[in-house]
C-alpha cells in the first residue's frame, strides 16, 4: 500500500490549494483517525507513506502502526522540511536485512538542489519451509514542480541506482523489487515510460513535458 498522507504543515502552508475543502476535514485531528481507518481496512503487509510529518510520526503515526504489528523505518527530508518518507512492514511477515536512506540533495549541483529523499529496505520474508529470496522495497516522493521534469528524472535515476545496489545478489541476479512513491507524474508520461521500459529518449524533450502525456 502506498499513500501520500499530506503533511499538516505543508497543507497549512499551501492552504490555497484546499479552498474547495470544508475546513473541519482538513484538521489533523480529523484526518489521522480516518487515515488509520484506511490502513486497518486494507491491512497491507507493507506500507509506503509519503509526506509523513516528523512530529506526527513520533507522537502518533509510528506508535499507532506499531500497535497494529508494523515495524517502521523513516527518512526525513533534508533542509528544514517538516516531512519525509516511511516504510512500515508487518514484523510477523518480514525480517529487516538493511535500511538504505537516499538523499537527493547535492550542494553546487543545480539538478540536485532540492530536499527530496527516498528510502530503500531489504526485507526477508518469514515463510516456513521455503527458500524465499529477499525483497527490495523502495519509497520516495519526487519533486512537485511540474516545470522541472529534469530534476524529477535526476532524482529518479539516483533512487534506481540505490535500488540496483541493494537488490543486487551475489550470483549477479536481482531480488524482487517493489518501488512505491509519489512520483508527481501520470501514467503514459515520459517519466512513467522510463520506469516501465528502462529507457527514455530525452533529446528534444521539453523539461515540462517529462511528467505529462
Amino acid at each position: 500500500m502506498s499513500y501520500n498522507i499530506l503533511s499538516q504543515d505543508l497543507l497549512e502552508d499551501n492552504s490555497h490549494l484546499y479552498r474547495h475543502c470544508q475546513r473541519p476535514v482538513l484538521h489533523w485531528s480529523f484526518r489521522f483517525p480516518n487515515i488509520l481507518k484506511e490502513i486497518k481496512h486494507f491491512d497491507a503487509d507493507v506500507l509506503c507513506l509519503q509526506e509523513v510529518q516528523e512530529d506526527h510520526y513520533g507522537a502518533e503515526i509510528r506508535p499507532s502502526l506499531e500497535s497494529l504489528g508494523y515495524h517502521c523505518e523513516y527518512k526525513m527530508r533534508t533542509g528544514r522540511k517538516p516531512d519525509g518518507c516511511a516504510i512500515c512492514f508487518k514484523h510477523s511477515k518480514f525480517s529487516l536485512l538493511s535500511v538504505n536512506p537516499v538523499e537527493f540533495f547535492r550542494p553546487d549541483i543545480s539538478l540536485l538542489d532540492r530536499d527530496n529523499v527516498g528510502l530503500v529496505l531489504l526485507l526477508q520474508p518469514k515463510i516456513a519451509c521455503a527458500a524465499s529470496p529477499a525483497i527490495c522495497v523502495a519509497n520516495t516522493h519526487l519533486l512537485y514542480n511540474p516545470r522541472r521534469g529534469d530534476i524529477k528524472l535526476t532524482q529518479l535515476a539516483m533512487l534506481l541506482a540505490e535500488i540496483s545496489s541493494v537488490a543486487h545478489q551475489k550470483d549477479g541476479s536481482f531480488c524482487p523489487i517493489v518501488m512505491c512513491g509519489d512520483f508527481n507524474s501520470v501514467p503514459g508520461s515520459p517519466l512513467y515510460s522510463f520506469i516501465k521500459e528502462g529507457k527514455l529518449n530525452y533529446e528534444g524533450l521539453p523539461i515540462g513535458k517529462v511528467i505529462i502525456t
Side-chain angles (χ1 to χ4, degrees), residues 146-150 153 190 202-212:
R147 298 181 299 276
R148 296 309 305 268
D150 53 341
L153 277 174
Y202 189 67
E203 184 177 2
L205 181 67
I207 59 175
K209 298 293 186 181
V210 170
I211 61 166
I212 60 176

Side-chain angles (χ1 to χ4, degrees), residues 49-210:
L49 305 177
Q50 304 89 40
E51 289 200 28
V52 179
Q53 191 165 305
E54 184 189 29
D55 55 348
H56 290 160
Y57 174 75
E60 299 175 80
I61 298 171
R62 183 176 63 186
S64 296
L65 293 179
E66 286 178 344
S67 72
L68 297 176
Y70 288 97
H71 173 89
C72 301
E73 294 291 339
Y74 178 72
K75 173 57 182 172
M76 189 175 180
R77 282 204 286 166
T78 52
R80 296 186 176 183
K81 304 300 188 294
D83 65 304
C85 293
I87 300 178
C88 311
F89 60 89
K90 293 280 187 70
H91 54 68
S92 62
K93 301 292 183 71
F94 300 97
S95 298
L96 179 64
L97 298 181
S98 70
V99 181
N100 308 274
V102 184
E103 295 183 356
F104 299 139
F105 178 82
R106 296 290 186 277
D108 304 321
I109 301 177
S110 60
L111 283 176
L112 294 171
D113 63 353
R114 309 303 169 95
D115 293 309
N116 304 80
V117 297
L119 184 61
V120 184
L121 302 188
L122 192 63
L123 304 178
Q124 179 65 52
K126 295 180 178 179
I127 301 177
C129 302
S132 177
I135 297 175
C136 178
V137 179
N139 184 25
T140 191
H141 187 184
L142 300 185
L143 179 72
Y144 165 73
N145 190 336
R147 298 181 299 276
R148 296 309 305 268
D150 53 341
I151 294 178
K152 296 180 206 283
L153 277 174
T154 307
Q155 292 178 342
L156 178 61
M158 293 181 67
L159 179 69
L160 292 174
E162 185 66 24
I163 291 172
S164 177
S165 175
V166 173
H168 191 262
Q169 301 184 103
K170 293 181 180 179
D171 63 0
S173 64
F174 291 89
C175 70
I177 297 167
V178 179
M179 185 169 67
C180 298
D182 182 343
F183 299 94
N184 276 308
S185 184
V186 298
S189 67
L191 186 141
Y192 175 86
S193 298
F194 176 54
I195 297 173
K196 183 179 178 182
E197 301 172 12
K199 60 183 179 180
L200 173 65
N201 183 6
Y202 189 67
E203 184 177 2
L205 181 67
I207 59 175
K209 298 293 186 181
V210 170

